[in-house]
Amino acid sequence: MTRAGVERHPVEALGELLRRVSAGPDTVGADGGAESSVGATRAEDDAGFVWVDIPSCEKNAERVLLDVFGFHPRAVHDCAERNLVAKTHSYADHVFVVLHGPEQGENGHVHYIELDQFIGRHFLVTVHGPLNPAVEPSVALRETSSVLERMDAGRLRPTSAFELSHAIVLALAASQERFVEALTADVWGLEQRVNAGHLGEPEPFLDELFRARHGLLAARTISALNRETYVRLMSRAWALPPRVRPLLAEITDEFEQVRGLADVQREYLQGVIEFYRTRIDTKMTIAAERLAVIAAITLPITAVSSIYGMNIIVNTRTRPEQLIIVLIAMAAMSAALLRWAKRRDWW
């Protein structure tokens, strides 16, 4: 594959650029502009393709998707709105794919970063879905920007739109794996604190445990849904050229690996949570047993004092030796009960 320099093309020129590439143009490329990143490449055995990266599907971008590329209105609507799950649709000359990636937010919240793709023979259009205002826009462009940098440096030379999509999705899977690795480090730290006994207040510590578990569950869910999307895409052989199937199989394996990692760490964390709960329950049981022993030891004192009441103290006929005898009897009964509790390992 040959590749010329880097140029910028306004959104309005996409129609002409697409027609040139379909007819077999010279090789050109482009980096990110204000509206979108637009590029075109040409392989030796194909007519070439255009890559359009749209940071946000606003009205102008919707017009390009509808009028220039002629995409289905439902697919364009999916680009403009947030999609809760990953999915794919096949059309006559292209496929539409919706994927997600996790991004850690505040207070344990996990943001779903959406990446939409239109993949055809002569084009790849990547659209970044609506973002939560709390997420930096650069987060959504992380994978496409890294792929563009690799292309500019000559480390990546895709010969088709599916190869370029393959590179972008593998970068997305790698980001998900790093997300799981970061949570794994948190899990190990929590496990060390449990084993060392430095737990602090139970409620904040349990909150940390459950936040880590939520992050792993979110990563597992996202990877599983992304994988199922590509499994469905692989089943549609009529919509894909044969050389694309190995690329889809590799993507499926990558998402399966991330899902497996998240599952393993989630199970490990569940073991840490159960161990922590067991330690807390054991401490509460020991405390309850000791309180019960204390209540049993003080029972004779309560019984004797309830019988005699205040009469021994306030009665003028009560002699001091009588009060001493009663106190000695109370102490003797309590000591006998304490000795009996120790013999039974209750104290």
Side-chain angles (χ1 to χ4, degrees):
M1 181 185 71
T2 60
R3 190 169 188 273
V6 176
E7 300 176 0
R8 288 189 179 183
H9 299 271
V11 172
E12 290 75 8
L14 284 178
E16 178 61 26
L17 182 61
L18 182 60
R19 285 189 291 271
R20 287 173 51 203
V21 173
S22 300
D26 294 332
T27 303
V28 297
D31 62 358
E35 295 290 342
S36 62
S37 300
V38 184
T41 60
R42 183 184 179 188
E44 296 176 357
D45 59 347
D46 203 348
F49 65 93
V50 175
W51 174 24
V52 180
D53 187 45
I54 301 177
S56 179
C57 191
E58 300 175 352
K59 292 300 181 181
N60 193 28
E62 289 185 38
R63 179 179 58 80
V64 171
L65 297 177
L66 290 170
D67 299 340
V68 176
F69 289 94
F71 294 144
H72 196 283
R74 184 178 68 174
V76 175
H77 178 269
D78 286 341
C79 292
E81 301 292 333
R82 295 189 66 181
N83 294 277
L84 300 181
V85 296
K87 57 185 175 182
T88 180
H89 296 291
S90 297
Y91 298 95
D93 62 342
H94 68 279
V95 293
F96 174 64
V97 182
V98 175
L99 300 176
H100 291 103
E103 178 68 19
Q104 190 67 60
E106 295 183 357
N107 300 321
H109 179 68
V110 177
H111 299 285
Y112 278 45
I113 309 301
E114 182 176 329
L115 175 64
D116 306 327
Q117 300 178 87
F118 296 90
I119 315 171
R121 181 185 177 189
H122 297 298
F123 57 83
L124 169 64
V125 180
T126 51
V127 184
H128 302 275
L131 281 178
N132 188 309
V135 180
E136 291 291 333
S138 59
V139 172
L141 303 176
R142 182 170 47 205
E143 286 74 31
T144 53
S145 297
S146 66
V147 169
L148 185 59
E149 289 177 2
R150 291 168 58 195
M151 293 176 63
D152 289 337
R155 299 193 304 272
L156 177 65
R157 296 180 177 273
T159 60
S160 68
F162 269 101
E163 285 190 11
L164 180 56
S165 172
H166 167 262
I168 294 173
V169 176
L170 286 186
L172 179 65
S175 295
Q176 295 181 18
E177 187 171 347
R178 289 191 293 270
F179 180 84
V180 175
E181 288 178 355
L183 289 175
T184 299
D186 294 339
V187 170
W188 288 2
L190 293 170
E191 186 265 347
Q192 291 174 357
R193 289 166 60 185
V194 171
N195 287 333
H198 304 299
L199 307 179
E201 293 294 328
E203 186 174 352
F205 188 72
L206 279 173
D207 188 60
E208 290 185 57
L209 291 171
F210 290 141
R211 287 181 181 180
R213 186 174 69 175
H214 170 68
L216 290 171
L217 181 60
R220 192 263 183 203
T221 302
I222 290 174
S223 299
L225 292 175
N226 288 349
R227 177 188 179 278
E228 290 303 314
T229 297
Y230 272 84
V231 168
R232 290 179 58 195
L233 197 57
M234 288 180 62
S235 66
R236 301 172 183 177
W238 56 269
L240 303 171
R243 67 171 184 264
V244 170
R245 296 185 64 84
L247 302 179
L248 302 183
E250 183 179 2
I251 291 173
T252 302
D253 291 341
E254 286 295 323
F255 283 131
E256 176 63 25
Q257 178 179 340
V258 176
R259 183 179 71 169
L261 291 174
D263 272 337
V264 169
Q265 292 302 323
R266 186 165 59 93
E267 292 177 4
Y268 183 76
L269 178 59
Q270 185 62 36
V272 174
I273 293 175
E274 292 176 359
F275 180 42
Y276 174 70
R277 284 178 168 173
T278 300
R279 293 193 64 175
I280 294 298
D281 292 343
T282 301
K283 287 185 176 182
M284 293 182 64
T285 301
I286 294 174
E289 290 177 350
R290 290 181 176 177
L291 289 174
V293 171
I294 292 173
I297 293 173
T298 58
L299 181 62
I301 300 176
T302 305
V304 173
S305 62
S306 63
I307 294 175
Y308 281 87
M310 297 295 293
N311 292 332
I312 295 180
I313 299 176
V314 301
N315 195 328
T316 56
R317 295 191 298 272
T318 300
R319 292 176 295 180
E321 57 268 22
Q322 292 178 330
L323 180 58
I324 293 174
I325 293 173
V326 172
L327 294 176
I328 292 175
M330 290 180 180
M333 288 186 288
S334 296
L337 286 174
L338 179 60
R339 184 178 180 184
W340 177 73
K342 285 186 175 181
R343 285 182 177 178
R344 293 181 172 270
D345 293 329
W346 289 359
W347 187 260

